[in-house]
C-alpha cells in the first residue's frame, strides 16, 4: 500500500496527496510558499524518501517490531558509516598533533631567518611579520600535503553525519504523521514498547528526552576531559554543545517517540564508538598513530577526570 503513495503524479505529491488522496495543511502551505515551505520540501526530498525505503526494508527483512528496527537502524548507520569516518578523523588529528613539534621548530628557525633578512633590507616590524606569517603558512601547508593530513579533511565526519541524521529524522517524522503512508503510520502507532507503545506520539513521561540530554552531555564532558590546554574557541564550542544538549530535551519531548528513540539510540551508539576509539588496541587496529597525549589507561583517566570535575567533596 505504501508503494501506491510513491506512484502518485508529481503534482499530487507536491500537494501532499497520500494513498488515501488527502491533502495535508502543511503540504498545501509548502505549495503556496508558506512559512513551512522549505521544511516540507526537505521532508519530501529524495534522500528522505531513500531513508524511508531503507527503514521499511530493514523492518521487513529483519521482522522486528518498529522500535527495535529503529534502534538497529541507528546502530547500523553509526557502525557502517560514521565509525569508519570517526577512525579516519582520529588518524588525521593524531598526525596533526604529531606535526606540532616540527612546526614549532620550523617556526623558530623561520622567525630567525626573517629577522636577519629584515635587518638587511630594512623591513619594518609590520612587513617582517607579514613575511613570517606568509612563509609559515606555506611551510605548514607543505607539511599537511606531505603527511596527507589537512585539517579540513577531519570535518568529513560532520558533513556526512549531520545530513544523514536529518534525513533519517524526517523519514521517521513522515512515517509517524502519515505523510508516507497511512498503513505504516498505523504500524508505528502500535510498534513501540514499554512506556512508549505509540511511536507516533511524543513521550509524555519525558524519559526518552531526558535520557537523550544526559547521553549528549556525557559525550560533551568526555570530549572536554581529554583537552589539557583549551583555547577560547574550544571553551566556547564546549559550552555551545552543552546548551544544545539541554535544549534538545524539550525538543525531543515534542516530536514523535520514533524520532526521540532514534536520537537516543544514535547518541548512545556514538558514545560507545567514542569510548571505543580511546582503546589503545582499537586505535592500533585502525592504524591511528600514537601521540604524546595518548594514555595506556584512557577509561580510568576519563572516570578520574569526571569524578574530579564533578566531585562535591572538598
Amino acid at each position: 500500500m505504501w508503494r501506491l503513495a510513491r506512484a502518485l503524479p508529481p503534482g499530487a505529491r507536491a500537494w501532499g496527496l497520500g494513498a488515501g488522496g488527502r491533502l495535508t495543511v502543511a503540504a498545501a502551505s509548502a505549495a503556496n510558499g508558506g512559512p513551512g515551505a522549505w521544511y516540507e520540501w526537505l521532508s519530501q526530498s529524495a534522500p528522505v524518501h531513500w531513508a524511508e525505503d531503507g527503514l521499511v526494508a530493514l523492518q521487513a527483512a529483519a521482522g522486528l517490531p518498529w522500535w527495535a528496527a529503529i534502534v538497529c537502524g541507528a546502530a547500523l548507520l553509526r557502525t557502517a558509516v560514521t565509525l569508519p569516518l570517526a577512525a579516519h578523523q582520529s588518524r588525521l588529528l593524531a598526525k596533526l598533533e604529531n606535526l606540532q613539534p616540527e612546526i614549532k621548530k620550523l617556526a623558530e628557525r623561520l622567525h630567525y631567518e626573517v629577522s636577519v633578512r629584515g635587518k638587511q633590507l630594512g623591513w619594518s616590524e609590520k612587513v617582517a611579520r607579514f613575511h613570517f606569517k606568509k612563509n609559515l603558512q606555506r611551510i605548514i601547508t607543505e607539511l599537511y600535503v606531505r603527511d596527507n593530513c589537512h585539517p579540513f579533511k577531519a570535518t568529513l565526519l560532520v558533513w556526512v553525519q549531520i545530513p544523514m541524521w536529518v534525513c533519517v529524522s524526517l523519514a521517521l517524522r513522515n512515517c509517524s504523521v502519515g505523510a508516507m503512508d497511512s498503513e505504516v503510520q498505523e504500524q508505528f502507532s502500535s510498534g513501540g514498547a514499554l512506556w512508549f507503545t505509540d511511536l507516533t506520539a511524543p513521550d509524555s513521561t519525558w524519559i526518552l528526552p531526558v535520557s537523550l540530554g544526559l547521553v549528549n552531555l556525557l559525550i560533551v564532558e568526555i570530549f572536554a576531559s581529554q583537552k589539557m590546554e583549551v583555547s577560547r574557541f574550544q571553551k566556547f564550542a564546549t559550552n555551545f554543545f552543552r546548551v544544545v544538549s539541554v535544549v534538545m530535551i524539550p525538543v525531543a519531548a515534542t516530536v514523535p517517540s520514533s524520532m526521540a528513540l532514534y536520537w537516543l539510540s544514535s547518541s548512545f551508539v556514538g558514545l560507545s564508538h567514542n569510548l571505543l576509539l580511546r582503546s589503545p588496541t582499537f586505535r592500533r587496529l585502525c592504524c591511528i598513530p600514537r601521540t604524546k597525549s595518548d594514555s595506556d589507561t584512557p577509561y580510568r583517566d576519563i572516570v578520574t577526570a569526571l569524578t574530579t570535575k564533578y566531585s562535591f567533596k572538598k
Side-chain angles (χ1 to χ4, degrees), residues 82-148:
T82 60
L83 180 57
L85 292 177
H88 176 64
Q89 182 186 64
S90 296
R91 279 194 296 271
L92 290 174
L93 295 177
K95 289 181 179 180
L96 288 171
E97 182 177 344
N98 290 334
L99 270 180
Q100 296 313 304
E102 184 176 358
I103 291 175
K104 183 178 179 181
K105 186 179 297 185
L106 291 174
E108 293 174 351
R109 183 186 303 173
L110 177 63
H111 185 273
Y112 172 76
E113 293 176 355
V114 169
S115 177
V116 172
R117 187 66 172 172
K119 290 179 180 180
Q120 293 175 348
L121 299 178
W123 288 346
S124 65
E125 183 179 350
K126 183 177 180 180
V127 173
R129 187 163 55 248
F130 168 78
H131 284 284
F132 171 76
K133 291 182 178 180
K134 179 181 178 181
N135 284 280
L136 180 61
Q137 185 61 47
R138 176 182 56 81
I139 292 172
I140 292 176
T141 301
E142 290 175 354
L143 291 176
Y144 288 161
V145 173
R146 185 196 70 185
D147 291 357
N148 190 25

Side-chain angles (χ1 to χ4, degrees), residues 86-283:
H88 176 64
Q89 182 186 64
S90 296
R91 279 194 296 271
L92 290 174
L93 295 177
K95 289 181 179 180
L96 288 171
E97 182 177 344
N98 290 334
L99 270 180
Q100 296 313 304
E102 184 176 358
I103 291 175
K104 183 178 179 181
K105 186 179 297 185
L106 291 174
E108 293 174 351
R109 183 186 303 173
L110 177 63
H111 185 273
Y112 172 76
E113 293 176 355
V114 169
S115 177
V116 172
R117 187 66 172 172
K119 290 179 180 180
Q120 293 175 348
L121 299 178
W123 288 346
S124 65
E125 183 179 350
K126 183 177 180 180
V127 173
R129 187 163 55 248
F130 168 78
H131 284 284
F132 171 76
K133 291 182 178 180
K134 179 181 178 181
N135 284 280
L136 180 61
Q137 185 61 47
R138 176 182 56 81
I139 292 172
I140 292 176
T141 301
E142 290 175 354
L143 291 176
Y144 288 161
V145 173
R146 185 196 70 185
D147 291 357
N148 190 25
C149 61
H150 195 283
F152 183 76
K153 293 182 179 180
T155 65
L156 179 61
L157 175 61
V158 176
W159 296 113
V160 172
Q161 183 173 329
I162 293 180
M164 183 178 69
W165 183 86
V166 170
C167 288
V168 176
S169 297
L170 290 178
L172 289 169
R173 173 259 183 192
N174 287 347
C175 293
S176 299
V177 302
M180 176 185 178
D181 177 46
S182 58
E183 183 178 346
V184 175
Q185 183 187 22
E186 292 176 3
Q187 295 175 6
F188 265 54
S189 64
S190 59
L194 302 175
W195 67 91
F196 55 97
T197 55
D198 186 355
L199 293 175
T200 65
D203 181 8
S204 59
T205 67
W206 284 57
I207 295 178
L208 291 176
V210 171
S211 300
L212 171 66
L214 292 176
V215 171
N216 285 337
L217 282 173
L218 183 57
I219 293 174
V220 174
E221 297 308 320
I222 289 177
F223 180 79
S225 67
Q226 69 179 0
K227 299 295 184 181
M228 302 303 293
E229 297 181 3
V230 182
S231 65
R232 181 178 299 179
F233 175 77
Q234 289 171 332
K235 288 181 179 179
F236 171 79
T238 300
N239 290 329
F240 172 77
F241 285 112
R242 284 174 179 149
V243 172
V244 170
S245 299
V246 174
V247 170
M248 283 298 293
I249 296 176
V251 172
T254 60
V255 299
S257 296
S258 59
M259 295 175 66
L261 178 62
Y262 166 68
W263 294 349
L264 175 59
S265 303
S266 181
S267 293
F268 183 80
V269 176
L271 172 62
S272 303
H273 290 169
N274 189 300
L275 294 174
L276 181 62
L277 285 168
R278 303 294 181 89
S279 168
T281 302
F282 188 76
R283 291 176 72 86

